[in-house]
Amino acid sequence: MANQLLLPARFKKIGWLIFIPATIAGIALAFQEFDANWVSGRVFAIIDDSIFEKDRSFQFIRTNITNTLVGTLFLVGGLLVSFSKEKEEDEFISGLRLSSLQWAVLLSYGLLLLGFLFIYGLAFMNVMIYNMFTVLVIFIARFNYLLYKSKPTVSDEK
């Protein structure tokens, strides 16, 4: 049965071209404690909860959009990689996809549970930030690992 929710295979390359640089930028941002001001601009904000000003709603504000840009690129790239068909999509690949997704969700929520139990204060905010991305990262890693492991080698074909 064809899965209509998957994108054509050509989107996977585009996804990798977006996902890898966004991952590198995200790691660099993490080492700078998400304070890097690489890109700033004027954006439309539904809510801006600034520390020094009253809440501002539904207006254009000037702000640092580095985290927004990197996070958006990471999510778009990750979704393109995750939800693009393989060149030969069959039931075996669909099974790997489902297994990897289940594994990623369980592991991600397991890590979140550990965070709830053992991490407190402002450090927990970092746990929540990282946890937004763990399902995609774990799914991509697991699915591609299982795909690689299942491919026949040259010696297997002889």
Side-chain angles (χ1 to χ4, degrees):
M1 179 194 312
N3 189 340
Q4 296 174 350
L5 294 176
L6 295 177
L7 298 167
R10 68 180 179 274
F11 286 101
K12 187 169 283 246
K13 274 186 190 165
I14 297 166
W16 281 116
L17 290 173
I18 297 169
F19 184 72
I20 291 171
T23 301
I24 293 167
I27 291 168
L29 275 174
F31 280 111
Q32 294 181 2
E33 297 183 5
F34 304 103
D35 289 336
N37 193 2
W38 301 338
V39 182
S40 61
R42 199 166 157 77
V43 296
F44 180 74
I46 294 175
I47 297 174
D48 174 33
D49 187 17
S50 183
I51 296 171
F52 301 109
E53 301 173 20
K54 291 174 28 179
D55 288 348
R56 299 180 297 177
S57 302
F58 298 105
Q59 60 183 306
F60 285 92
I61 60 168
R62 183 155 192 69
T63 189
N64 175 11
I65 58 172
T66 304
N67 296 331
T68 303
L69 188 61
V70 170
T72 301
L73 289 172
F74 183 90
L75 289 174
V76 168
L79 289 170
L80 288 174
V81 168
S82 298
F83 294 102
S84 294
K85 291 179 185 176
E86 293 299 310
K87 287 188 184 194
E88 293 183 26
E89 189 78 24
D90 58 12
E91 290 173 5
F92 176 72
I93 302 262
S94 293
L96 289 182
R97 210 178 276 287
L98 178 61
S99 167
S100 297
L101 185 60
Q102 290 171 333
W103 206 78
V105 169
L106 286 171
L107 186 57
S108 179
Y109 278 101
L111 292 171
L112 182 60
L113 179 62
L114 290 175
F116 270 116
L117 294 174
F118 299 115
I119 299 173
Y120 296 93
L122 208 49
F124 185 72
M125 182 63 85
N126 285 335
V127 169
M128 294 303 291
I129 289 169
Y130 295 132
N131 195 260
M132 285 189 298
F133 304 108
T134 55
V135 171
L136 265 179
V137 170
I138 295 168
F139 171 77
I140 290 169
R142 174 109 173 126
F143 179 66
N144 285 293
Y145 170 74
L146 291 176
L147 267 180
Y148 173 77
K149 205 170 89 169
S150 70
K151 291 201 186 221
T153 61
V154 175
S155 62
D156 289 343
E157 293 174 1
K158 291 182 180 180

